[in-house]
Structures are given as C-alpha cells and as structure tokens.
Amino acid sequence: MKYTIGEPIRDGKAPGGPIEDRWDRRRFSARLVNPANKRKLTVIVVGTGLAGGSAAATLGELGYRVKSFCYQDSPRRAHSIAAQGGINAAKNYRGDGDSIHRLFYDTVKGGDFRARESNVHRLAQVSVNIIDQAVAQGVPFAREYGGLLDTRSFGGAQVSRTFYARGQTGQQLLLGAYQALERQIAAGTVEMHTRHEMLDLVVSGGRARGVIVRDLVSGEIETHLADAVVLATGGYGNVFFLSTNAKGCNTTAIWRAHRRGAYFGNPCYTQIHPTCIPVSGEYQSKLTLMSESLRNDGRVWVPVRAGDERAPGDIPEDERDYYLERLYPAFGNLVPRDIASRAAKNVCDEGRGVGPGGLGVYLDFADAIGRLGRAAVEKKYGNLFEMYERITGEDPYSRPMRIYPAVHYTMGGLWVDYDLQSTIPGLFVIGEANFSDHGANRLGASALMQGLADGYFVLPTTIGDYLADGPFGAVDQADVAEALGEVTGRIGRLLSVDGTRTADSYHRELGGLMWDLCGMERTEEGLRKALERIPELREEFWANVKVPGGEEGLNQALERAGRVADFFDLAELMCLDALHRTESCGGHFRAESQTEDGEALRDDANFAYVAAWEHGGDAGPVLHKEALDYEYVTMTQRSYK
C-alpha cells in the first residue's frame, strides 16, 4: 500500500501561554450563543456512551435541539457500561502527593510522550469537576468508614487517585449520564433514536451537516440534517475480532467520516490490556476483561521453572517468579498496561506460562486475603470474582486467577484540534472515537475520565464557538443524494454477492492476522506480510461473502457485513501506520526498536509527531504530521523501575 507525504498539520485552536491558564483562556475567548438562538440550532450526537450521553444531555440542557442516535435498544446499553475499575481525578483526598500537574505528568509519561501537552493538562484540570458532577447525580462511589470518597491505585501512578464503585464504575457513571439524558428527552430538548446505525456523513458546503442512518428494525434508510455533528462512537478494537469490546463495537461511523475528509490520527496505537481471561477455544467470539483494579491487591507470578505443570498451590514461594515486582520494584504490579502486557508475553514465550497452551499468568490474592481478610477483599472486588468464577468454573478466593493480555482500547481515532473538531468543519469527535489525549498508551481509569470530560465540560464550550456562526442555511440536496447513493449502493453490493462464507468467518481470519502481525509486537516483515494479505482477503470478501435476507426489516447479517467491510480498510491503514513508524512507543512495539533490557525504544528525532492520515482514494492515503513540542515535560526514556 503506497502513501504520500502531505503538508504538516497543526492544532490552531490550542492557546499559548502558561499551560495552567490555557483552558480558562480558551473558554473565555470562545464565542457564546444567545439562549434564544440555541433553540434554532440542531446538533446530532451519534453514540450514547459516557461521552455521547453526557454531551447530548448537556447540550440539551443548554437549550440546543439535539438528535441522539445509538444502535442499541437503549442508551444505557452502550459499551461504557462494561468499564469496571474506576475513574481518575486529581482530587488528592488521600494527601499522598497528587495534584493536577502530577496527573498531567503521569498521563503524558504513560502515553510514552506521544500526546499533546495542552489537551492532557486540560483533562487533568477538568477531572476534579467530573467527580463533583457524578456525586451530584447520585453515582454511588465507594466511601471510607467516615463517609469520605474512597480511592485506589491504578497502573502508571504512585498515588491513589482512582474513584470507583466496586467493579461497576462504568455502569454507575453511565446510569448517571443516562438519567441526565432521559431528563432532557422528557423535556423535549433531545430527540432519541434507538436502533439506528450511522452509515455515512452528509458534508455540504464544506461543513458536516447531517448523517445517513439505517433503522435496524424496519431497514429504512433515513437522512437527518443539523448544524453540527458529534461522533461519540467509541473505539475500533474489534478489528482484531477477539477483544474485550462488546460485539457491536465497530469503526463504521468514524471510518465513513474519514472517507468524507476527516483525518485519522495514529491508527496503529492499540492498547493491549494485561488483565483478561485467557482464550479458551476456537469457539470464542470475544474476551472478558478482569479489571486493572485487581492489580492493587493481586500479585502476578509464574513458576520459575519452564514447563512446571503443578497446581499453583503446590508451587512453593521460592519457586515462584513475581516478575513485575522483580523487574519494576518502584511500581511493581501497578506498571502501565503496555509494560505489564509485554512482560506477560515474555514469560509465556519463555515457556513459563500457565493454563491451556501456556498462555496465561497467575493473579494471586492469597496475600491480600491473609492481610485484609476475605470479607474486605469481597467488598472491593466481589462482583469481579463472581464473574471470573462463572466464566472459568474456578474459585479465585482459593485458587489464583489466570490472566493474559488482550486487545482492549484504541488510542488512535479521528484527528481533532483543541476544540475537539475534526478536519471537517462542524464535525466534532469525542471520547474514544478521537485520538486526542492518551498518546501511545492509555493509563488505566482514564477512559471514563476523558469521555465525561469531553461530554460534560469541553465540547459544550467549544461547539458553541462554532455554532455562533449558525444557523448555516439549507443543505444542498445533491450532497444528500450523493451520500444516500453511496449507502444504498454499498448495501446492494453486499446483498448481491451471494457467496459461500459468512462475514464473521472473514472477520475472524482478519482478526487473527492482525493479532499475529500487528498485535503486541510488530516487525517490518510481519507488517509487510499483513499488507499483502489484507487486500487479498478483502477481495475474497467482496467476491464470496454470504449475506442472507434482504435490506428491509431486521437483518443482523447485513449489519455485520457492512462493519467487517470497514474493518478491512481500517486494518490496512493500521498496518501501514505501524510500518511507517519504525520506533517503539507505548502500545506500539516494533521488535527492531527496543532497549537492551527489552523496553520500548522511541526515536524522538524522527517520530515525535501525530500521524494524521487523509483518505486519498485510489491514489492511496496521505500522511500529514503534527509536530509534538514539549514545554513542561522532558521527553526521557520511560522507566517504572
């Protein structure tokens, strides 16, 4: 796959000056919209997870006319509900040395110095407001004996800044956003469209003006127009087929927007989570995450001797290797996710893995139970332990959990500026759907933080600056017809193939290819092999996919086929991005670029930039580079030892 180098890109919205003042200065400089004029402006929000739900609720409360879309049967079914461990905030209730600046520093360092300083500092600032917002909504955060909010530690930090609600933090936060959203639906400011999937973006006069959606129950193709469009559709981890994402998670919304002109930032930055239940067989369609919060009290280990098949209880202490504590004494089991994942892979590659196929390590709570008592451990992690036992049939109170890394989160996404606006004017992208805050590796408990920061606090300010120029007049119907034609033509093509293989079978093959060649470790040879095979597999898909049923009514096979088709195109760009970036950084680990002790080796002289890819059609993608300049953090070799 060939690409060309285009003009550099820059974020023209980020203010200068002292970093702690930049967000306040931008908020003040952003133009306001008269309350009476807000009622004349329509905003479409696609996605109802933490980012989309909070954004739609807040925009509705501000007085805009909002249209909200999700493909689930209810907004509360968004994948944000699956987040377990907690949400970061620089409240420093523990008095353990935390601060906004320390959260900012930890996030930039955790992202291996591949994130923007301005965006990350804003995220750290806003984090303190999120907790107040959630508490006011009634989110039942865990509390200490005296009634104060409790916190726990997460990877990549030496302070306790993660607020949590047992192992159900995402669910409780989503219910808070959902209630705020439902209040606006009842008030008439938000118009809710469930079971609708976005299939294309309407761009007219150089602005994003609407979406083409399919009613997943009736099959009807609908056009909805607005003055601005917000995408909050999550990440694209399901390109790997097996991931911790819900099966419905996909890339279609952001990929179709990319085809319309929105640049795609850092597509190769994928997060592998170290604390997942290992693969148990070919029949699996997804993987289950065990929260990173378990690494607070659980100790990770493998047998010292390769091929040791004894039961964990039969292996004495001096024959166990607590390898994270040995390799990273300062952080121990709370090293960031990319480091813990590669360490688990390394010990398994040495033949010291446990469980079927040797692809697993132990996460042991025996010490915690002995120190705190079973009741205390059950209070903190009980629902997670129950989930593990239901899936594996093993009791984690008496036998260590078995875990192994799996695809979890994507740091890449549509490129946005400081205002969260893409390269298409009027198209805003929030939460995991954009690339903006995490660099090459996301710290645990920061996804919920970013989603709610974007939805509750950042977007409602910055989108107003754009909408101050609205309303934007009638949409050219020729542009609507063109987008409609693209959608109906794609659906017709999928239905007309009438081949012999299901979309899922192609998806599984693509996912295996991506995991093997663009997963935890990438090499030039492997990536070139992937870039040869993906176009061949895509051609086979379009020649032989079987999509039963028709375009009318409920047809989940048609839904899946459309999403898999987009995964093929995205997978190719991911591999190209990984191939061109010959350094290692965070979750992007090139085997050719590592330190003597096997850590990621960056090349700051040549790759300290955001890779913003423009869809170039038949001519191939165009790479635009956004230079990353650091004023407040010094780029150093990351160390957690």
mmCIF file with all atom_site columns, all heavy atoms in Angstrom, residues 180-192:
data_model
loop_
_atom_site.group_PDB
_atom_site.id
_atom_site.type_symbol
_atom_site.label_atom_id
_atom_site.label_alt_id
_atom_site.label_comp_id
_atom_site.label_asym_id
_atom_site.label_entity_id
_atom_site.label_seq_id
_atom_site.pdbx_PDB_ins_code
_atom_site.Cartn_x
_atom_site.Cartn_y
_atom_site.Cartn_z
_atom_site.occupancy
_atom_site.B_iso_or_equiv
_atom_site.pdbx_formal_charge
_atom_site.auth_seq_id
_atom_site.auth_comp_id
_atom_site.auth_asym_id
_atom_site.auth_atom_id
_atom_site.pdbx_PDB_model_num
ATOM 1  N N   . ALA A 1 180 ? -29.485 11.864 33.171 1.00 0.00 ? 180 ALA A N   1
ATOM 2  C CA  . ALA A 1 180 ? -29.433 13.250 32.703 1.00 0.00 ? 180 ALA A CA  1
ATOM 3  C C   . ALA A 1 180 ? -29.975 13.350 31.277 1.00 0.00 ? 180 ALA A C   1
ATOM 4  O O   . ALA A 1 180 ? -30.689 14.307 30.930 1.00 0.00 ? 180 ALA A O   1
ATOM 5  C CB  . ALA A 1 180 ? -27.999 13.771 32.767 1.00 0.00 ? 180 ALA A CB  1
ATOM 6  N N   . LEU A 1 181 ? -29.635 12.349 30.455 1.00 0.00 ? 181 LEU A N   1
ATOM 7  C CA  . LEU A 1 181 ? -30.122 12.329 29.081 1.00 0.00 ? 181 LEU A CA  1
ATOM 8  C C   . LEU A 1 181 ? -31.634 12.141 29.037 1.00 0.00 ? 181 LEU A C   1
ATOM 9  O O   . LEU A 1 181 ? -32.350 12.845 28.302 1.00 0.00 ? 181 LEU A O   1
ATOM 10 C CB  . LEU A 1 181 ? -29.417 11.201 28.308 1.00 0.00 ? 181 LEU A CB  1
ATOM 11 C CG  . LEU A 1 181 ? -29.867 10.949 26.865 1.00 0.00 ? 181 LEU A CG  1
ATOM 12 C CD1 . LEU A 1 181 ? -29.645 12.184 26.005 1.00 0.00 ? 181 LEU A CD1 1
ATOM 13 C CD2 . LEU A 1 181 ? -29.127 9.744  26.278 1.00 0.00 ? 181 LEU A CD2 1
ATOM 14 N N   . GLU A 1 182 ? -32.148 11.182 29.817 1.00 0.00 ? 182 GLU A N   1
ATOM 15 C CA  . GLU A 1 182 ? -33.591 10.934 29.824 1.00 0.00 ? 182 GLU A CA  1
ATOM 16 C C   . GLU A 1 182 ? -34.370 12.153 30.308 1.00 0.00 ? 182 GLU A C   1
ATOM 17 O O   . GLU A 1 182 ? -35.492 12.410 29.856 1.00 0.00 ? 182 GLU A O   1
ATOM 18 C CB  . GLU A 1 182 ? -33.903 9.725  30.717 1.00 0.00 ? 182 GLU A CB  1
ATOM 19 C CG  . GLU A 1 182 ? -33.497 8.386  30.111 1.00 0.00 ? 182 GLU A CG  1
ATOM 20 C CD  . GLU A 1 182 ? -34.289 8.065  28.846 1.00 0.00 ? 182 GLU A CD  1
ATOM 21 O OE1 . GLU A 1 182 ? -35.514 8.266  28.845 1.00 0.00 ? 182 GLU A OE1 1
ATOM 22 O OE2 . GLU A 1 182 ? -33.669 7.630  27.865 1.00 0.00 ? 182 GLU A OE2 1
ATOM 23 N N   . ARG A 1 183 ? -33.779 12.907 31.224 1.00 0.00 ? 183 ARG A N   1
ATOM 24 C CA  . ARG A 1 183 ? -34.438 14.138 31.691 1.00 0.00 ? 183 ARG A CA  1
ATOM 25 C C   . ARG A 1 183 ? -34.621 15.117 30.540 1.00 0.00 ? 183 ARG A C   1
ATOM 26 O O   . ARG A 1 183 ? -35.675 15.763 30.405 1.00 0.00 ? 183 ARG A O   1
ATOM 27 C CB  . ARG A 1 183 ? -33.600 14.765 32.807 1.00 0.00 ? 183 ARG A CB  1
ATOM 28 C CG  . ARG A 1 183 ? -34.158 16.070 33.353 1.00 0.00 ? 183 ARG A CG  1
ATOM 29 C CD  . ARG A 1 183 ? -33.382 16.502 34.602 1.00 0.00 ? 183 ARG A CD  1
ATOM 30 N NE  . ARG A 1 183 ? -33.845 17.788 35.081 1.00 0.00 ? 183 ARG A NE  1
ATOM 31 C CZ  . ARG A 1 183 ? -33.295 18.961 34.735 1.00 0.00 ? 183 ARG A CZ  1
ATOM 32 N NH1 . ARG A 1 183 ? -32.252 18.969 33.921 1.00 0.00 ? 183 ARG A NH1 1
ATOM 33 N NH2 . ARG A 1 183 ? -33.776 20.094 35.205 1.00 0.00 ? 183 ARG A NH2 1
ATOM 34 N N   . GLN A 1 184 ? -33.604 15.217 29.676 1.00 0.00 ? 184 GLN A N   1
ATOM 35 C CA  . GLN A 1 184 ? -33.713 16.127 28.532 1.00 0.00 ? 184 GLN A CA  1
ATOM 36 C C   . GLN A 1 184 ? -34.638 15.579 27.454 1.00 0.00 ? 184 GLN A C   1
ATOM 37 O O   . GLN A 1 184 ? -35.306 16.345 26.754 1.00 0.00 ? 184 GLN A O   1
ATOM 38 C CB  . GLN A 1 184 ? -32.317 16.411 27.969 1.00 0.00 ? 184 GLN A CB  1
ATOM 39 C CG  . GLN A 1 184 ? -31.401 17.164 28.926 1.00 0.00 ? 184 GLN A CG  1
ATOM 40 C CD  . GLN A 1 184 ? -32.032 18.434 29.460 1.00 0.00 ? 184 GLN A CD  1
ATOM 41 O OE1 . GLN A 1 184 ? -32.589 19.233 28.695 1.00 0.00 ? 184 GLN A OE1 1
ATOM 42 N NE2 . GLN A 1 184 ? -31.984 18.619 30.770 1.00 0.00 ? 184 GLN A NE2 1
ATOM 43 N N   . ILE A 1 185 ? -34.693 14.262 27.329 1.00 0.00 ? 185 ILE A N   1
ATOM 44 C CA  . ILE A 1 185 ? -35.651 13.665 26.395 1.00 0.00 ? 185 ILE A CA  1
ATOM 45 C C   . ILE A 1 185 ? -37.075 14.002 26.839 1.00 0.00 ? 185 ILE A C   1
ATOM 46 O O   . ILE A 1 185 ? -37.929 14.395 26.040 1.00 0.00 ? 185 ILE A O   1
ATOM 47 C CB  . ILE A 1 185 ? -35.443 12.137 26.311 1.00 0.00 ? 185 ILE A CB  1
ATOM 48 C CG1 . ILE A 1 185 ? -34.095 11.827 25.652 1.00 0.00 ? 185 ILE A CG1 1
ATOM 49 C CG2 . ILE A 1 185 ? -36.581 11.477 25.530 1.00 0.00 ? 185 ILE A CG2 1
ATOM 50 C CD1 . ILE A 1 185 ? -33.702 10.353 25.713 1.00 0.00 ? 185 ILE A CD1 1
ATOM 51 N N   . ALA A 1 186 ? -37.317 13.870 28.144 1.00 0.00 ? 186 ALA A N   1
ATOM 52 C CA  . ALA A 1 186 ? -38.645 14.196 28.678 1.00 0.00 ? 186 ALA A CA  1
ATOM 53 C C   . ALA A 1 186 ? -38.961 15.681 28.520 1.00 0.00 ? 186 ALA A C   1
ATOM 54 O O   . ALA A 1 186 ? -40.122 16.063 28.309 1.00 0.00 ? 186 ALA A O   1
ATOM 55 C CB  . ALA A 1 186 ? -38.721 13.799 30.151 1.00 0.00 ? 186 ALA A CB  1
ATOM 56 N N   . ALA A 1 187 ? -37.918 16.520 28.609 1.00 0.00 ? 187 ALA A N   1
ATOM 57 C CA  . ALA A 1 187 ? -38.119 17.964 28.474 1.00 0.00 ? 187 ALA A CA  1
ATOM 58 C C   . ALA A 1 187 ? -38.302 18.390 27.022 1.00 0.00 ? 187 ALA A C   1
ATOM 59 O O   . ALA A 1 187 ? -38.679 19.535 26.744 1.00 0.00 ? 187 ALA A O   1
ATOM 60 C CB  . ALA A 1 187 ? -36.933 18.713 29.088 1.00 0.00 ? 187 ALA A CB  1
ATOM 61 N N   . GLY A 1 188 ? -38.016 17.490 26.092 1.00 0.00 ? 188 GLY A N   1
ATOM 62 C CA  . GLY A 1 188 ? -38.203 17.792 24.679 1.00 0.00 ? 188 GLY A CA  1
ATOM 63 C C   . GLY A 1 188 ? -37.023 18.426 23.989 1.00 0.00 ? 188 GLY A C   1
ATOM 64 O O   . GLY A 1 188 ? -37.103 18.771 22.807 1.00 0.00 ? 188 GLY A O   1
ATOM 65 N N   . THR A 1 189 ? -35.895 18.554 24.683 1.00 0.00 ? 189 THR A N   1
ATOM 66 C CA  . THR A 1 189 ? -34.717 19.148 24.035 1.00 0.00 ? 189 THR A CA  1
ATOM 67 C C   . THR A 1 189 ? -33.891 18.112 23.282 1.00 0.00 ? 189 THR A C   1
ATOM 68 O O   . THR A 1 189 ? -33.108 18.461 22.403 1.00 0.00 ? 189 THR A O   1
ATOM 69 C CB  . THR A 1 189 ? -33.818 19.848 25.063 1.00 0.00 ? 189 THR A CB  1
ATOM 70 O OG1 . THR A 1 189 ? -33.345 18.884 26.004 1.00 0.00 ? 189 THR A OG1 1
ATOM 71 C CG2 . THR A 1 189 ? -34.576 20.936 25.802 1.00 0.00 ? 189 THR A CG2 1
ATOM 72 N N   . VAL A 1 190 ? -34.037 16.843 23.653 1.00 0.00 ? 190 VAL A N   1
ATOM 73 C CA  . VAL A 1 190 ? -33.310 15.760 22.980 1.00 0.00 ? 190 VAL A CA  1
ATOM 74 C C   . VAL A 1 190 ? -34.314 14.809 22.342 1.00 0.00 ? 190 VAL A C   1
ATOM 75 O O   . VAL A 1 190 ? -35.262 14.361 22.992 1.00 0.00 ? 190 VAL A O   1
ATOM 76 C CB  . VAL A 1 190 ? -32.409 14.982 23.958 1.00 0.00 ? 190 VAL A CB  1
ATOM 77 C CG1 . VAL A 1 190 ? -31.744 13.803 23.242 1.00 0.00 ? 190 VAL A CG1 1
ATOM 78 C CG2 . VAL A 1 190 ? -31.346 15.888 24.558 1.00 0.00 ? 190 VAL A CG2 1
ATOM 79 N N   . GLU A 1 191 ? -34.088 14.513 21.084 1.00 0.00 ? 191 GLU A N   1
ATOM 80 C CA  . GLU A 1 191 ? -34.911 13.554 20.331 1.00 0.00 ? 191 GLU A CA  1
ATOM 81 C C   . GLU A 1 191 ? -34.101 12.265 20.189 1.00 0.00 ? 191 GLU A C   1
ATOM 82 O O   . GLU A 1 191 ? -33.052 12.258 19.566 1.00 0.00 ? 191 GLU A O   1
ATOM 83 C CB  . GLU A 1 191 ? -35.244 14.161 18.965 1.00 0.00 ? 191 GLU A CB  1
ATOM 84 C CG  . GLU A 1 191 ? -36.118 13.328 18.068 1.00 0.00 ? 191 GLU A CG  1
ATOM 85 C CD  . GLU A 1 191 ? -36.318 14.025 16.724 1.00 0.00 ? 191 GLU A CD  1
ATOM 86 O OE1 . GLU A 1 191 ? -36.979 15.084 16.699 1.00 0.00 ? 191 GLU A OE1 1
ATOM 87 O OE2 . GLU A 1 191 ? -35.777 13.530 15.702 1.00 0.00 ? 191 GLU A OE2 1
ATOM 88 N N   . MET A 1 192 ? -34.590 11.183 20.793 1.00 0.00 ? 192 MET A N   1
ATOM 89 C CA  . MET A 1 192 ? -33.812 9.944  20.868 1.00 0.00 ? 192 MET A CA  1
ATOM 90 C C   . MET A 1 192 ? -34.186 8.988  19.748 1.00 0.00 ? 192 MET A C   1
ATOM 91 O O   . MET A 1 192 ? -35.367 8.746  19.499 1.00 0.00 ? 192 MET A O   1
ATOM 92 C CB  . MET A 1 192 ? -34.060 9.273  22.227 1.00 0.00 ? 192 MET A CB  1
ATOM 93 C CG  . MET A 1 192 ? -33.153 8.092  22.518 1.00 0.00 ? 192 MET A CG  1
ATOM 94 S SD  . MET A 1 192 ? -31.454 8.585  22.778 1.00 0.00 ? 192 MET A SD  1
ATOM 95 C CE  . MET A 1 192 ? -30.621 7.471  21.647 1.00 0.00 ? 192 MET A CE  1
#
